[in-house]
C-alpha cells in the first residue's frame, strides 16, 4: 500500500511555549503507526531542531521545513538552505505552498529548482499544487494542475519522482473552511495520478502519495481520506490543536 501521510503545516503560528505544549500533548496520544502510515510536522524554522529532537525516538514521525531556498548557499539573507536542514536531521520540506506562490511570488520554474535541490540532498519534497477559485469556476482546473506538475516536476528522473510526495490543495479551500467534496478531491487525485502514469508509467504513479489539503479537520478527514486516490492530508488550521490533529492522524487509511 502507498504511504498514507498526515502532515501538519503550522505556518507562522504558535510561540515556542505553545509549540512545546502541543508536542507534549501529541506525544501522549495513541496512534497505530504502521509501515504504511506516517506523520509529518512542518513547524516554523526556529523550532525545527527542537521538534526533531523531541520526535527522534518516535517511529513514523518526521519533521519538515515549510520552505527552503533554491541555491545551495551564499549571500541570501533570511533564507534557509537544504544542507542546513539535512544537517539538523530535517529530511522533508514543503515546496510550492500556495502562500509561497501567491504572497512571495514563487513561480513554477523556481519551484523546479527547489525540488531538484531538495532531492539532490536526499530530502523528500512535499510538492503543493492546486487551482485558484476562478480556474475552478471556469472548469479548467485539470489543465492548470497539469501545467504545475509539468513545469516543476517533469524534469525529474523516474527514480527522483518516486521520492516526491504531492499535495493537492485547491486554493479556494485553504483556510476558508470550504472543503472540496470528497468527490472533487478524488477526481483531481485520480487525474494527477493519471498524469504521472502517462509521464512515468503506472507502477510509479501507483506508488506516489497524493495528499489532499484544504480545510481538513477531524470531522471530515475520514470521508476524504477514504477516497481511493487520497493518501492522507496536508493540514493547516486543524493541525494547531493537538487533539484535533491526533484525530486526523487516526483517520488515515
Ligand atoms: C494548508 O495550509 O496547507 C492548508 C491546507 O490549510 P487549512 O487546512 O487551514 O485549509
Amino acid at each position: 500500500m502507498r504511504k498514507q501521510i498526515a502532515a501538519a503545516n503550522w505556518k507562522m503560528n504558535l510561540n515556542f511555549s505553545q509549540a512545546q505544549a502541543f508536542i507534549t500533548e501529541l506525544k501522549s496520544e495513541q496512534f497505530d503507526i504502521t509501515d504504511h502510515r506516517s506523520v509529518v510536522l512542518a513547524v516554523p524554522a526556529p523550532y525545527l531542531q527542537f521538534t526533531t529532537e523531541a520526535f527522534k525516538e518516535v517511529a513514523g514521525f518526521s519533521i519538515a521545513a515549510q520552505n527552503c531556498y533554491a541555491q545551495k548557499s551564499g549571500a541570501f539573507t533570511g533564507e534557509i538552505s537544504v544542507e542546513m536542514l539535512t544537517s539538523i536531521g530535517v529530511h522533508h520540506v514543503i515546496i510550492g505552498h500556495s502562500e509561497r506562490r501567491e504572497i512571495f511570488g514563487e513561480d513554477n520554474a523556481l519551484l523546479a529548482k527547489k525540488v531538484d535541490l531538495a532531492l539532490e540532498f536526499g530530502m523528500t519534497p512535499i510538492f503543493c499544487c492546486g487551482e485558484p477559485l476562478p480556474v475552478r469556476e471556469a472548469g479548467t482546473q485539470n489543465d492548470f494542475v497539469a501545467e504545475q506538475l509539468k513545469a516543476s516536476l517533469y524534469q525529474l528522473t523516474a527514480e527522483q519522482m518516486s521520492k516526491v510526495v504531492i499535495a493537492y490543495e485547491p486554493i479556494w479551500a485553504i483556510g476558508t473552511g470550504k472543503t472540496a467534496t470528497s468527490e472533487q478531491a478524488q477526481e483531481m487525485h485520480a487525474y494527477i495520478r493519471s498524469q504521472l502514469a502517462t509521464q512515468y508509467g503506472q507502477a510509479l504513479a501507483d506508488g506516489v502519495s497524493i495528499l489532499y489539503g484544504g480545510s481538513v479537520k477531524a470531522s471530515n478527514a475520514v470521508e476524504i481520506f477514504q477516497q481511493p486516490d487520497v493518501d492522507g492530508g496536508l493540514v493547516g488550521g486543524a493541525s494547531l490543536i493537538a487533539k484535533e490533529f491526533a484525530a486526523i492522524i487516526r483517520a488515515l487509511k
Side-chain angles (χ1 to χ4, degrees):
M1 188 183 204
R2 280 187 291 275
K3 200 71 148 179
Q4 304 295 302
I5 302 168
N9 175 17
W10 285 2
K11 313 190 187 191
M12 197 175 74
N13 291 299
L14 304 186
N15 64 29
F16 188 49
S17 58
Q18 291 168 327
Q20 285 175 301
F22 176 104
I23 289 165
T24 305
E25 200 178 338
L26 191 66
K27 285 176 81 176
S28 72
E29 294 279 340
Q30 299 296 311
F31 306 107
D32 184 14
I33 300 293
T34 56
D35 272 357
H36 78 276
R37 292 195 196 112
S38 69
V39 180
V40 176
L41 300 176
V43 303
Y47 314 152
L48 281 169
Q49 200 158 7
F50 175 84
T51 316
T52 300
E53 279 300 313
F55 283 95
K56 211 161 66 184
E57 311 293 331
V58 186
F61 279 68
S62 302
I63 309 308
Q66 297 175 9
N67 185 29
C68 64
Y69 197 52
Q71 299 287 334
K72 284 187 183 170
S73 64
F76 303 105
T77 302
E79 292 296 335
I80 299 171
S81 75
V82 289
E83 189 181 1
M84 291 172 188
L85 295 172
T86 55
S87 71
I88 59 164
V90 174
H91 300 289
H92 289 68
V93 58
I94 297 176
I95 293 178
H97 190 280
S98 62
E99 287 149 18
R100 299 297 317 172
R101 292 175 186 264
E102 293 203 320
I103 304 170
F104 301 98
E106 298 192 359
D107 62 18
N108 289 337
L110 177 79
L111 300 175
K113 283 192 199 155
K114 291 189 179 194
V115 170
D116 288 348
L117 208 50
L119 287 165
E120 189 185 325
F121 279 77
M123 296 189 82
T124 300
I126 301 173
F127 178 77
C128 301
C129 57
E131 78 286 355
L133 187 59
V135 170
R136 170 63 63 165
E137 284 172 345
T140 53
Q141 64 273 11
N142 286 4
D143 291 346
F144 186 92
V145 170
E147 180 55 32
Q148 289 180 319
L149 300 176
K150 180 174 167 220
S152 300
L153 296 182
Y154 291 175
Q155 77 283 7
L156 302 177
T157 64
E159 201 204 330
Q160 288 174 316
M161 186 64 219
S162 68
K163 296 178 178 139
V164 175
V165 171
I166 293 178
Y168 167 60
E169 301 205 303
I171 298 172
W172 45 273
I174 297 180
T176 57
K178 208 183 204 185
T179 319
T181 63
S182 46
E183 291 76 23
Q184 285 172 320
Q186 168 56 25
E187 208 172 78
M188 178 58 86
H189 283 228
Y191 176 71
I192 292 172
R193 205 175 299 289
S194 75
Q195 292 295 294
L196 296 180
T198 304
Q199 190 66 21
Y200 292 103
Q202 193 65 50
L204 184 139
D206 284 341
V208 173
S209 300
I210 308 177
L211 317 186
Y212 168 78
S215 300
V216 171
K217 31 190 185 292
S219 59
N220 60 22
V222 172
E223 191 191 333
I224 296 171
F225 294 176
Q226 278 311 311
Q227 299 303 311
D229 285 289
V230 177
D231 306 309
L234 178 56
V235 186
S239 77
L240 296 169
I241 302 157
K243 283 218 167 343
E244 178 86 5
F245 188 58
I248 292 170
I249 297 171
R250 287 191 285 265
L252 290 173
K253 276 200 279 279

